[in-house]
Amino acid sequence: MRKPNVVILGAGYGGLMTTVRLQKLIGVNEANITLVNKHDYHYETTWLHEASAGTLHHDRVRYPISDVIDRNKVKFIQDTVTKIIPNEKKVLLENGELTYDYLVIALGFESETFGIKGLKEYAFSIANVDAARQIREHIEYQFATYNAEEEKKEERLTIVVGGAGFTGIEFLGELANRMPELCREYDIDPHKVRIICVEAAPTALPGFDPELVEYAVSQLERKGVEFRIGTAIKECTPDGIIVAKGDDVEEIKAGTVIWAAGVRGSRVIEESGFEAARARIKVDPYLRVPGHEDIFVVGDCSLVIDEETNRPYPPTAQIAMQEGQLCAKNLAVLIRGQGELEPFKPDIKGTVCSLGHDDAIGVVFGKKLWGAKASFMKKVIDNRALYLIGGSSLVMKKGKFKFF
Ligand code: FAD
Ligand code: NAD
């Protein structure tokens, strides 16, 4: 009997979880599994703010995909997906094409700039390892250049972070922690450095527990971060940003602008003509594309509605991994033609937001945490993600063990 071709696009949390679970569930002779990813490594997206601020080397946030896949069962192709043609069961890559019987789309997120002028050209976003390296080096370049120039440009020492969502806040925590060392390294007076966070909503971390938000903001302010709450970025220019609070418009000159104010699914979703909202496909209960029962979507390209709130679940690694686990199970059912497909039921354990390596806030199993306890929990969560994909050997290689 012909073995079905299972093609998995993307080796982030969702795609890699699908792959490693599926390779455990099925035998070599049951299916051809192909995993496609842009790079030959997986990165912990949830640690990218650390690599971007320079508090963790980028090699610590990534590992070779070959370390976790069973090469007897999975063929890995390093390439970029450009388009999916569902009617021909075909995937176009930059350097070739693939056909599938079952497809898993796990291409992750991209930055959402909402059409704001200049952001694509002049701002950075914490999107992948390449971007993280650029951000770290750009900030260092600005600091090095400040002293090298005769005419001092104070704005070189100003860093603007757009958005006080979880990404913005976690990045600010790392940046604020790194600043004393960075100033020493580049002979910069710390009083000249400005780190400004601009948030359009009436509060940082909109929707999160207000007491914990207040704790986070005051901890970051104590380390020198200035918050501009209720203020929206309207434009980014080569010299900084233009913001507006009500009718008041202001220019903030800054050598570095980080846009951390929103995400969307992969552009491949739109380029392939799928019906989607910000490139996220509203999947059926089994994580399939409506009308295409051979295509599953996991991670940030999928959209699942929380029936309690009637709003989409936020795109998180927690959900991406749970979707990957279920997708592998459902694929095994289809490959074998035995059993029933299971619907996706997210099991949200909580949210922990770091404020640097030594502090955090969170709600876990309904309990509020902050300070050292929350920070400890964050590292447990980071290590658990490694464990779920690569077992204890991956935790030993890449895990975080400096708990306090
Ligand atoms: P990704 O992790 O984005 O992986 C997508 C993969 O596809 C990547 O390997 C990429 O290289 C590859 N790819 C993309 N396009 C192509 C292409 N065209 N061709 C081939 N390969 C391609 N969530 C939490 O639950 N907890 C957290 O603490 C947390 N912290 C975060 C911190 C930061 C700084 C950020 C930015 C996000 C954080 N998130 C967190 C959200 C979480 O990281 C995402 O929800 C999660 O990464 C989504 O997983 P994914 O598998 O869909 O995509
Ligand atoms: P987000 O959409 O959650 O937050 C973006 C923030 O930017 C919002 O507060 C929004 O009001 C603000 N904003 C939007 N437009 C603006 C503008 N023009 N000017 C100023 N502010 C503006 O995005 P995110 O923080 O990147 O998070 C993306 C996803 O990743 C979310 O699902 C989040 O839960 C998840 N995440 C989780 C963690 C964690 O669990 N620790 C960490 C990072 C990200």
Side-chain angles (χ1 to χ4, degrees):
M1 217 170 74
R2 183 180 153 275
K3 288 196 278 183
N5 289 331
V6 179
V7 175
I8 299 165
L9 307 179
Y13 292 103
L16 205 50
M17 180 60 92
T18 307
T19 309
V20 298
R21 288 297 159 112
L22 188 60
Q23 73 187 9
K24 279 198 187 123
L25 289 172
I26 63 160
V28 186
N29 296 321
E30 289 186 283
N32 302 310
I33 308 172
T34 305
L35 173 65
V36 185
N37 196 61
K38 227 182 236 183
H39 313 103
D40 60 358
Y41 56 83
H42 161 91
Y43 48 85
E44 295 297 299
T45 308
T46 61
W47 304 9
L48 284 178
H49 55 289
E50 296 168 73
S52 304
T55 48
L56 195 65
H57 192 271
H58 56 266
D59 281 339
R60 282 289 319 278
V61 316
R62 63 177 174 173
Y63 56 82
I65 289 168
S66 58
D67 278 6
V68 293
I69 58 170
D70 175 347
R71 272 175 287 179
N72 293 319
K73 291 183 182 169
V74 179
K75 180 178 171 197
F76 173 65
I77 297 178
Q78 182 180 351
D79 208 336
T80 298
V81 179
T82 53
K83 194 174 178 178
I84 298 158
I85 310 176
N87 296 338
E88 296 175 28
K89 289 178 169 276
K90 206 185 259 183
V91 176
L92 305 187
L93 309 176
E94 262 176 17
N95 302 298
E97 60 180 56
L98 294 166
T99 54
Y100 61 82
D101 296 293
Y102 299 110
L103 181 69
V104 180
I105 305 175
L107 293 169
F109 72 95
E110 292 180 11
S111 169
E112 171 59 276
T113 53
F114 306 108
I116 296 172
K117 199 172 155 197
L119 280 174
K120 281 202 176 119
E121 293 82 354
Y122 308 119
F124 296 94
S125 70
I126 305 172
N128 50 44
V129 167
D130 295 326
R133 263 193 300 236
Q134 259 189 317
I135 294 170
R136 189 200 69 212
E137 292 200 0
H138 179 83
I139 294 171
E140 288 176 4
Y141 174 81
Q142 292 292 344
F143 277 48
T145 309
Y146 175 80
N147 269 337
E149 284 172 337
E150 291 217 348
E151 191 194 327
K152 300 277 176 267
K153 293 191 180 122
E154 303 297 324
E155 61 268 26
R156 288 202 186 275
L157 307 180
T158 298
I159 302 165
V160 167
V161 176
F166 287 111
T167 302
I169 292 291
E170 289 200 326
F171 177 66
L172 287 163
E174 297 299 326
L175 197 60
N177 272 3
R178 184 158 186 234
M179 230 12 98
E181 171 223 307
L182 206 59
C183 289
R184 270 196 303 278
E185 194 177 338
Y186 290 95
D187 304 321
I188 302 284
D189 173 0
H191 297 104
K192 291 196 154 60
V193 175
R194 289 182 76 193
I195 302 176
I196 305 170
C197 177
V198 180
E199 167 57 54
T203 168
L205 296 175
F208 204 54
D209 181 274
E211 203 186 2
L212 294 177
V213 174
E214 200 186 311
Y215 173 87
V217 168
S218 66
Q219 290 292 82
L220 292 172
E221 280 177 340
R222 208 171 46 81
K223 293 181 185 176
V225 176
E226 296 170 41
F227 281 90
R228 302 288 188 93
I229 299 295
T231 306
I233 293 185
K234 294 291 182 194
E235 188 180 335
C236 189
T237 68
D239 303 323
I241 53 162
I242 315 248
V243 298
K245 184 169 189 167
D247 292 336
D248 297 336
V249 177
E250 185 195 345
E251 181 184 9
I252 302 175
K253 287 196 184 292
T256 308
V257 178
I258 312 292
W259 176 251
V263 292
R264 61 188 348 266
S266 161
R267 72 193 63 188
V268 173
I269 300 292
E270 283 162 345
E271 277 157 22
S272 306
F274 292 110
E275 199 180 312
R278 294 201 191 287
R280 297 180 71 198
I281 300 175
K282 191 171 166 193
V283 287
D284 75 9
Y286 309 102
L287 302 175
R288 297 176 303 190
V289 179
H292 296 281
E293 295 197 339
D294 49 355
I295 308 182
F296 290 81
V297 193
V298 299
D300 285 7
C301 290
S302 73
L303 190 149
V304 176
I305 301 290
D306 178 348
E307 280 167 10
E308 268 178 37
T309 60
N310 205 26
R311 290 169 56 90
Y313 282 103
T316 63
Q318 183 173 192
I319 290 197
M321 284 194 288
Q322 291 179 11
E323 289 180 331
Q325 286 169 331
L326 180 80
C327 181
K329 267 193 189 174
N330 282 343
L331 281 168
V333 166
L334 292 171
I335 290 165
R336 295 203 172 120
Q338 279 172 16
E340 301 247 319
L341 294 185
E342 265 181 51
F344 181 61
K345 292 200 187 81
D347 173 19
I348 309 297
K349 298 182 192 330
T351 302
V352 181
C353 172
S354 66
L355 305 169
H357 77 277
D358 49 354
D359 199 359
I361 51 169
V363 179
V364 179
F365 298 121
K367 199 167 174 273
K368 284 198 228 182
L369 298 174
W370 61 90
K373 270 192 193 161
S375 181
F376 176 85
M377 185 53 77
K378 179 76 178 155
K379 283 158 199 151
V380 170
I381 295 167
D382 287 350
N383 290 342
R384 181 173 178 270
L386 293 172
Y387 180 77
L388 288 174
I389 288 187
S392 42
S393 64
L394 188 60
V395 180
M396 293 316 289
K397 263 193 230 157
K398 291 287 171 183
K400 293 182 177 169
F401 300 109
K402 197 176 158 218
F403 286 105
F404 298 105

Coordinates of all heavy atoms in Angstrom, one line a residue, residues 143-201:
F143 N 25.5 52.9 20.9 CA 26.3 53.3 22.1 C 27.8 53.6 21.7 O 28.4 54.5 22.2 CB 26.2 52.2 23.2 CG 24.9 52.3 24.0 CD1 23.7 52.5 23.4 CD2 25.0 52.3 25.4 CE1 22.5 52.6 24.2 CE2 23.8 52.4 26.2 CZ 22.6 52.5 25.6
A144 N 28.3 52.7 20.9 CA 29.7 52.9 20.5 C 29.9 54.2 19.7 O 30.9 54.9 19.8 CB 30.2 51.7 19.6
T145 N 28.9 54.5 18.8 CA 29.0 55.6 17.9 C 28.9 56.9 18.7 O 29.5 57.9 18.4 CB 28.0 55.5 16.8 OG1 28.1 54.3 16.2 CG2 28.2 56.6 15.7
Y146 N 28.1 56.9 19.7 CA 27.8 58.1 20.6 C 29.2 58.7 21.0 O 29.4 59.9 20.8 CB 27.0 57.8 21.8 CG 26.8 58.9 22.7 CD1 25.8 59.9 22.4 CD2 27.6 59.0 23.9 CE1 25.7 61.0 23.3 CE2 27.4 60.1 24.7 CZ 26.5 61.1 24.4 OH 26.3 62.1 25.3
N147 N 30.0 57.9 21.5 CA 31.3 58.4 22.0 C 32.3 58.7 20.9 O 33.2 59.5 21.1 CB 31.9 57.5 23.1 CG 31.4 57.8 24.4 OD1 31.0 58.9 24.7 ND2 31.5 56.8 25.3
A148 N 32.1 58.0 19.8 CA 33.1 58.2 18.7 C 32.9 59.5 18.0 O 33.8 60.0 17.3 CB 33.0 57.0 17.7
E149 N 31.7 60.1 18.1 CA 31.4 61.3 17.3 C 31.8 62.5 18.1 O 31.5 62.6 19.3 CB 29.9 61.3 17.0 CG 29.5 60.4 15.9 CD 28.0 60.3 15.7 OE1 27.2 60.6 16.6 OE2 27.6 60.0 14.6
E150 N 32.3 63.5 17.4 CA 32.6 64.8 18.1 C 31.3 65.5 18.6 O 31.2 65.9 19.7 CB 33.4 65.7 17.2 CG 34.7 65.1 16.9 CD 35.8 66.1 16.9 OE1 35.5 67.3 16.8 OE2 37.0 65.7 16.9
E151 N 30.4 65.6 17.6 CA 29.1 66.2 18.0 C 28.2 65.1 18.6 O 27.8 64.2 17.9 CB 28.5 66.8 16.8 CG 27.3 67.7 17.0 CD 26.6 68.0 15.8 OE1 27.2 68.1 14.7 OE2 25.3 68.1 15.9
K152 N 27.9 65.2 19.9 CA 27.2 64.1 20.6 C 25.7 64.2 20.2 O 25.1 65.2 20.3 CB 27.3 64.3 22.1 CG 28.8 64.2 22.6 CD 29.2 62.7 22.7 CE 30.6 62.6 23.1 NZ 31.5 62.4 22.0
K153 N 25.2 63.1 19.8 CA 23.8 63.0 19.4 C 23.1 62.2 20.5 O 23.2 60.9 20.6 CB 23.6 62.3 18.1 CG 24.1 63.1 16.9 CD 23.6 62.5 15.6 CE 24.2 63.3 14.5 NZ 25.0 62.5 13.5
E154 N 22.4 62.9 21.4 CA 21.8 62.2 22.6 C 20.8 61.1 22.2 O 20.6 60.1 22.9 CB 21.1 63.2 23.5 CG 22.0 64.4 24.0 CD 23.1 64.0 24.9 OE1 22.9 63.0 25.7 OE2 24.2 64.6 24.8
E155 N 20.2 61.4 21.0 CA 19.1 60.4 20.6 C 19.7 59.0 20.4 O 19.0 58.0 20.4 CB 18.3 60.9 19.4 CG 19.1 61.1 18.2 CD 19.6 62.6 18.1 OE1 19.8 63.2 19.1 OE2 19.8 63.0 16.9
R156 N 21.0 58.9 20.1 CA 21.6 57.6 19.9 C 21.4 56.7 21.2 O 21.4 55.5 21.1 CB 23.1 57.7 19.7 CG 23.4 58.2 18.3 CD 24.8 57.8 17.9 NE 25.2 58.5 16.6 CZ 24.9 58.0 15.4 NH1 24.2 56.9 15.3 NH2 25.3 58.6 14.3
L157 N 21.2 57.4 22.3 CA 21.1 56.7 23.6 C 19.6 56.5 24.0 O 19.3 56.1 25.1 CB 21.9 57.4 24.7 CG 23.4 57.7 24.4 CD1 24.0 58.4 25.5 CD2 24.1 56.4 24.1
T158 N 18.7 56.8 23.1 CA 17.3 56.7 23.4 C 16.8 55.5 22.6 O 17.0 55.3 21.4 CB 16.5 57.9 22.9 OG1 17.0 59.0 23.7 CG2 15.0 57.8 23.2
I159 N 16.1 54.6 23.4 CA 15.5 53.4 22.8 C 14.0 53.4 23.1 O 13.6 53.6 24.2 CB 16.1 52.1 23.5 CG1 17.6 52.1 23.3 CG2 15.5 50.8 22.9 CD1 18.3 51.1 24.2
V160 N 13.2 53.4 22.0 CA 11.8 53.4 22.1 C 11.2 52.0 21.9 O 11.6 51.3 21.0 CB 11.1 54.3 21.1 CG1 9.6 54.1 21.1 CG2 11.4 55.8 21.5
V161 N 10.4 51.5 22.8 CA 9.7 50.3 22.6 C 8.2 50.5 22.4 O 7.5 51.1 23.3 CB 9.9 49.3 23.9 CG1 9.1 48.0 23.7 CG2 11.4 49.0 24.1
G162 N 7.7 50.2 21.3 CA 6.3 50.4 20.9 C 5.5 49.2 21.4 O 5.7 48.1 20.9
G163 N 4.5 49.4 22.3 CA 3.7 48.4 22.8 C 4.1 47.9 24.2 O 5.3 47.5 24.3
A164 N 3.2 47.9 25.1 CA 3.5 47.3 26.5 C 2.6 46.1 26.6 O 2.0 45.9 27.7 CB 3.2 48.3 27.6
G165 N 2.6 45.2 25.6 CA 2.0 43.9 25.7 C 3.1 43.0 26.4 O 4.1 43.5 26.9
F166 N 2.9 41.7 26.4 CA 3.9 40.8 27.0 C 5.3 40.9 26.4 O 6.3 40.9 27.1 CB 3.4 39.4 27.0 CG 2.2 39.2 28.0 CD1 1.0 38.9 27.5 CD2 2.5 39.3 29.3 CE1 -0.1 38.7 28.4 CE2 1.4 39.1 30.2 CZ 0.1 38.8 29.8
T167 N 5.3 41.0 25.0 CA 6.6 41.1 24.4 C 7.4 42.4 24.8 O 8.6 42.3 25.1 CB 6.5 41.0 22.8 OG1 5.8 39.8 22.5 CG2 7.8 41.1 22.1
G168 N 6.7 43.5 24.7 CA 7.3 44.8 25.1 C 7.8 44.8 26.5 O 8.9 45.1 26.8
I169 N 7.0 44.3 27.4 CA 7.3 44.3 28.8 C 8.5 43.4 29.1 O 9.5 43.7 29.8 CB 6.1 43.9 29.7 CG1 5.0 45.0 29.6 CG2 6.5 43.7 31.2 CD1 5.4 46.4 30.3
E170 N 8.5 42.2 28.5 CA 9.6 41.2 28.7 C 10.9 41.8 28.2 O 12.0 41.7 28.8 CB 9.3 39.9 28.1 CG 8.2 39.1 28.9 CD 8.1 37.6 28.6 OE1 8.4 37.2 27.5 OE2 7.8 36.9 29.6
F171 N 10.8 42.5 27.0 CA 12.0 43.0 26.4 C 12.6 44.2 27.3 O 13.8 44.3 27.6 CB 11.7 43.5 25.0 CG 12.9 44.2 24.4 CD1 14.1 43.5 24.0 CD2 12.9 45.6 24.1 CE1 15.2 44.1 23.5 CE2 13.9 46.2 23.5 CZ 15.1 45.5 23.2
L172 N 11.6 45.0 27.8 CA 12.1 46.1 28.7 C 12.8 45.6 29.9 O 13.7 46.2 30.4 CB 10.8 47.0 29.1 CG 10.2 47.8 28.0 CD1 8.8 48.3 28.3 CD2 11.1 49.0 27.7
G173 N 12.3 44.5 30.5 CA 12.9 43.9 31.7 C 14.3 43.6 31.4 O 15.2 43.8 32.2
E174 N 14.6 42.9 30.3 CA 15.9 42.5 29.9 C 16.8 43.7 29.6 O 18.0 43.8 30.1 CB 15.9 41.6 28.7 CG 15.2 40.3 28.8 CD 15.7 39.4 29.9 OE1 16.9 39.4 30.1 OE2 14.9 38.7 30.6
L175 N 16.3 44.7 28.9 CA 17.0 45.8 28.5 C 17.5 46.6 29.7 O 18.6 47.1 29.8 CB 16.2 46.7 27.6 CG 16.9 47.7 26.7 CD1 17.9 47.1 25.8 CD2 15.8 48.5 25.9
A176 N 16.5 46.8 30.6 CA 16.8 47.6 31.8 C 17.9 46.9 32.7 O 18.8 47.6 33.2 CB 15.5 47.8 32.7
N177 N 17.8 45.6 32.7 CA 18.8 44.9 33.5 C 20.2 45.0 32.8 O 21.2 45.0 33.5 CB 18.5 43.4 33.5 CG 17.6 43.1 34.7 OD1 17.2 44.0 35.5 ND2 17.2 41.8 34.9
R178 N 20.2 45.0 31.5 CA 21.5 45.0 30.8 C 22.2 46.4 30.8 O 23.4 46.5 30.6 CB 21.3 44.6 29.3 CG 22.7 44.5 28.6 CD 22.8 43.6 27.5 NE 24.2 43.5 27.0 CZ 24.6 43.8 25.8 NH1 23.7 44.1 24.9 NH2 25.9 43.7 25.5
M179 N 21.4 47.5 31.0 CA 21.9 48.8 30.8 C 23.1 49.2 31.6 O 24.1 49.7 31.1 CB 20.7 49.8 31.1 CG 20.5 50.8 30.0 SD 21.3 50.6 28.5 CE 20.1 49.9 27.5
P180 N 23.2 48.8 32.9 CA 24.4 49.2 33.7 C 25.6 48.6 33.1 O 26.6 49.4 32.9 CB 24.1 48.6 35.1 CG 22.6 48.5 35.2 CD 22.2 48.2 33.8
E181 N 25.6 47.4 32.7 CA 26.8 46.7 32.1 C 27.1 47.4 30.7 O 28.3 47.6 30.4 CB 26.5 45.2 31.9 CG 27.5 44.4 31.2 CD 26.8 43.5 30.2 OE1 25.9 42.7 30.7 OE2 27.1 43.5 29.0
L182 N 26.1 47.6 29.9 CA 26.3 48.2 28.6 C 26.9 49.6 28.7 O 27.8 50.0 28.0 CB 24.9 48.3 27.9 CG 24.9 48.3 26.4 CD1 25.6 47.1 25.8 CD2 23.5 48.4 25.9
C183 N 26.4 50.4 29.7 CA 27.0 51.7 29.9 C 28.5 51.7 30.3 O 29.3 52.4 29.9 CB 26.2 52.5 31.0 SG 24.6 53.0 30.4
R184 N 28.8 50.7 31.2 CA 30.2 50.5 31.6 C 31.0 50.2 30.4 O 32.1 50.7 30.2 CB 30.3 49.4 32.7 CG 30.1 49.9 34.1 CD 30.6 48.9 35.1 NE 30.0 47.6 35.0 CZ 28.8 47.3 35.5 NH1 28.1 48.2 36.2 NH2 28.2 46.1 35.4
E185 N 30.5 49.2 29.6 CA 31.3 48.7 28.5 C 31.6 49.8 27.5 O 32.7 49.9 26.9 CB 30.5 47.6 27.8 CG 31.3 46.8 26.8 CD 30.5 45.7 26.2 OE1 29.5 45.2 26.8 OE2 30.9 45.2 25.1
Y186 N 30.6 50.8 27.3 CA 30.8 51.8 26.2 C 31.1 53.2 26.8 O 31.0 54.2 26.1 CB 29.5 51.8 25.3 CG 29.5 50.6 24.4 CD1 28.7 49.5 24.8 CD2 30.2 50.5 23.3 CE1 28.7 48.3 24.1 CE2 30.2 49.4 22.5 CZ 29.4 48.3 22.9 OH 29.4 47.1 22.1
D187 N 31.4 53.2 28.1 CA 31.8 54.5 28.8 C 30.6 55.5 28.6 O 30.9 56.7 28.2 CB 33.1 55.1 28.2 CG 34.2 54.1 28.3 OD1 34.3 53.4 29.3 OD2 35.0 54.0 27.3
I188 N 29.4 55.1 28.9 CA 28.3 56.0 28.7 C 27.8 56.4 30.1 O 27.6 55.5 31.0 CB 27.1 55.3 27.9 CG1 27.6 54.9 26.6 CG2 25.9 56.2 27.9 CD1 27.7 55.9 25.5
D189 N 27.4 57.6 30.3 CA 26.8 58.0 31.6 C 25.4 57.5 31.6 O 24.6 57.9 30.7 CB 26.8 59.6 31.6 CG 26.0 60.1 32.8 OD1 25.5 59.3 33.6 OD2 25.9 61.3 33.0
P190 N 25.0 56.6 32.5 CA 23.7 56.0 32.5 C 22.5 57.0 32.6 O 21.4 56.7 32.1 CB 23.7 55.1 33.8 CG 25.1 55.0 34.2 CD 25.8 56.1 33.7
H191 N 22.8 58.2 33.1 CA 21.8 59.2 33.2 C 21.4 59.7 31.8 O 20.3 60.3 31.6 CB 22.2 60.4 34.1 CG 22.4 59.9 35.5 ND1 23.6 59.8 36.0 CD2 21.5 59.6 36.4 CE1 23.5 59.3 37.3 NE2 22.2 59.2 37.5
K192 N 22.3 59.5 30.8 CA 22.0 60.0 29.5 C 21.1 59.0 28.7 O 20.5 59.4 27.6 CB 23.3 60.2 28.7 CG 24.1 61.4 29.2 CD 25.1 61.8 28.2 CE 25.6 63.2 28.3 NZ 26.2 63.7 29.4
V193 N 21.0 57.8 29.2 CA 20.2 56.8 28.4 C 18.7 57.0 28.7 O 18.3 57.2 29.9 CB 20.6 55.4 28.9 CG1 19.8 54.3 28.2 CG2 22.1 55.1 28.5
R194 N 17.9 56.9 27.7 CA 16.4 56.9 27.9 C 15.8 55.6 27.3 O 16.1 55.3 26.1 CB 15.8 58.1 27.2 CG 16.2 59.4 27.9 CD 15.5 60.6 27.3 NE 14.0 60.6 27.6 CZ 13.2 61.4 26.9 NH1 13.6 62.1 25.9 NH2 11.9 61.4 27.3
I195 N 15.0 54.9 28.1 CA 14.3 53.8 27.5 C 12.8 54.2 27.7 O 12.3 54.4 28.8 CB 14.5 52.5 28.3 CG1 16.0 52.2 28.3 CG2 13.7 51.3 27.7 CD1 16.4 51.0 29.1
I196 N 12.1 54.3 26.6 CA 10.7 54.8 26.6 C 9.8 53.8 26.0 O 10.0 53.3 24.9 CB 10.6 56.1 25.8 CG1 11.6 57.2 26.2 CG2 9.2 56.7 25.8 CD1 11.7 58.4 25.3
C197 N 8.7 53.5 26.8 CA 7.8 52.5 26.3 C 6.5 53.3 26.0 O 5.9 54.0 26.8 CB 7.5 51.5 27.3 SG 6.2 50.3 26.8
V198 N 6.0 53.1 24.7 CA 4.8 53.8 24.3 C 3.7 52.8 24.1 O 3.8 51.9 23.4 CB 5.1 54.5 22.9 CG1 3.8 55.3 22.5 CG2 6.2 55.5 23.0
E199 N 2.6 53.0 24.9 CA 1.5 52.1 24.8 C 0.2 52.8 24.5 O -0.2 53.8 25.2 CB 1.4 51.3 26.2 CG 0.1 50.5 26.4 CD -0.2 49.5 25.3 OE1 0.6 48.6 25.0 OE2 -1.4 49.5 24.8
A200 N -0.5 52.3 23.5 CA -1.8 53.0 23.1 C -2.9 52.9 24.1 O -3.8 53.8 24.2 CB -2.2 52.6 21.7
A201 N -3.0 51.7 24.7 CA -4.2 51.4 25.6 C -4.0 52.2 26.9 O -3.0 52.8 27.2 CB -4.2 49.9 25.9

